Amino acid sequence: MIARRTVVKSLAGVPLAAILADPKLAALAAEELEQVSTTTADGRTVNAVLATPENVTDDKAPGVLLIHEWWGLNDQIKSMAHEFARQGFVALAVDLYGGAVAQDREKARSLMQSVEQDQAVATMQAWTEWLRNHEATTSQVGVVGWCFGGGWALRTAVHAPVDAAVVYYGNVDVPTEQLRQIQGPVLGHFATQDQHINEEMVSRFKSRMEEAGKPLELYWYEADHAFANPTGARYDAGAAAQSWTRTLAFLMENLRQVREEGRTDMGTDPVQTETKATE
């Protein structure tokens, strides 16, 4: 039986963008989440925060792993776990930085570059198994990541048996042979003004996914890298809202058993941002 509720009832009805843009609201959402840990196959103890929907003891829900940007597991990403729980998922926001959080780009770059690839793979494998076996979840588990975490969402899908993966402007330069290991569909959100995760890289990724015979849904937004982060200068409200709507629809379709009762309004307006989609 679930020992505690991890949904912040005082934030019920507050739109996601408002929570993410307000440090006080984001901190409120973050502080109510449950701290959890597990042990990896290589013997390390790793940490994460967990958010579960209300009444999950009466009806299990699909699990979603969340992977942070290069800033680390900060209140913004913890708030995303809160929001996924409001939408009916058991959300687990993992920490690939061992508790470190960056406040400036230099520190963020240093933290990102310090990540040991094999250890990160082992961490995501451990959390995937942990979430799938959690008493609150169904047998379905998805993964969502942003920026640094977007690349790791794809790599998690390569190395762990997830049922769906969502990549927000992450590094998708992965060899075809690795992509063949993916077991579920992939959704990608990319920005036309992104100078690094650019059309050349994404087109190559699309071709490799086709060669690997894996389902892929791609969307381009007339925006820049990190357009979904309200705390950054490149935030684009229209692109963020549209990509969020698509992410929820994709996960609800592919994780299938998501609970309908208790869902809140997604807080999004009709599409405002011009996009081009690759079907």
Side-chain angles (χ1 to χ4, degrees), residues 1 11 37 57 65-66 86 106 133 160 209 226 243 256:
M1 181 175 181
L11 294 177
S37 63
T57 53
L65 297 152
L66 308 182
R86 289 207 302 188
E106 182 178 350
N133 292 327
M209 286 288 282
S243 61
R256 300 190 185 282

Side-chain angles (χ1 to χ4, degrees), residues 166-265:
V166 181
V167 178
Y168 274 84
Y169 35 77
N171 187 326
V172 291
D173 190 11
V174 175
T176 304
E177 287 308 308
Q178 291 187 22
L179 296 177
R180 294 187 197 279
Q181 301 176 60
I182 294 175
Q183 298 186 22
V186 177
L187 168 64
H189 301 296
F190 300 98
T192 58
Q193 299 168 32
D194 194 327
Q195 298 300 305
H196 179 57
I197 313 300
N198 53 28
E199 188 168 0
E200 179 181 358
M201 176 189 289
V202 177
S203 295
R204 187 165 60 245
F205 169 57
K206 179 176 180 291
S207 296
R208 290 172 178 175
M209 286 288 282
E210 290 174 350
E211 183 179 352
K214 300 301 178 180
L216 174 66
E217 187 175 342
L218 288 181
Y219 291 98
W220 285 96
Y221 302 83
E222 298 297 336
D224 205 342
H225 186 81
F227 64 76
N229 184 347
T231 69
R234 292 175 291 192
Y235 174 63
D236 186 296
Q242 188 174 24
S243 61
W244 174 239
T245 300
R246 286 169 168 165
T247 292
L248 285 179
F250 176 80
L251 292 175
M252 289 172 182
E253 176 183 358
N254 291 290
L255 302 184
R256 300 190 185 282
Q257 296 183 38
V258 67
R259 307 173 321 130
E260 291 298 324
E261 67 274 15
R263 283 183 53 204
T264 61
D265 188 281

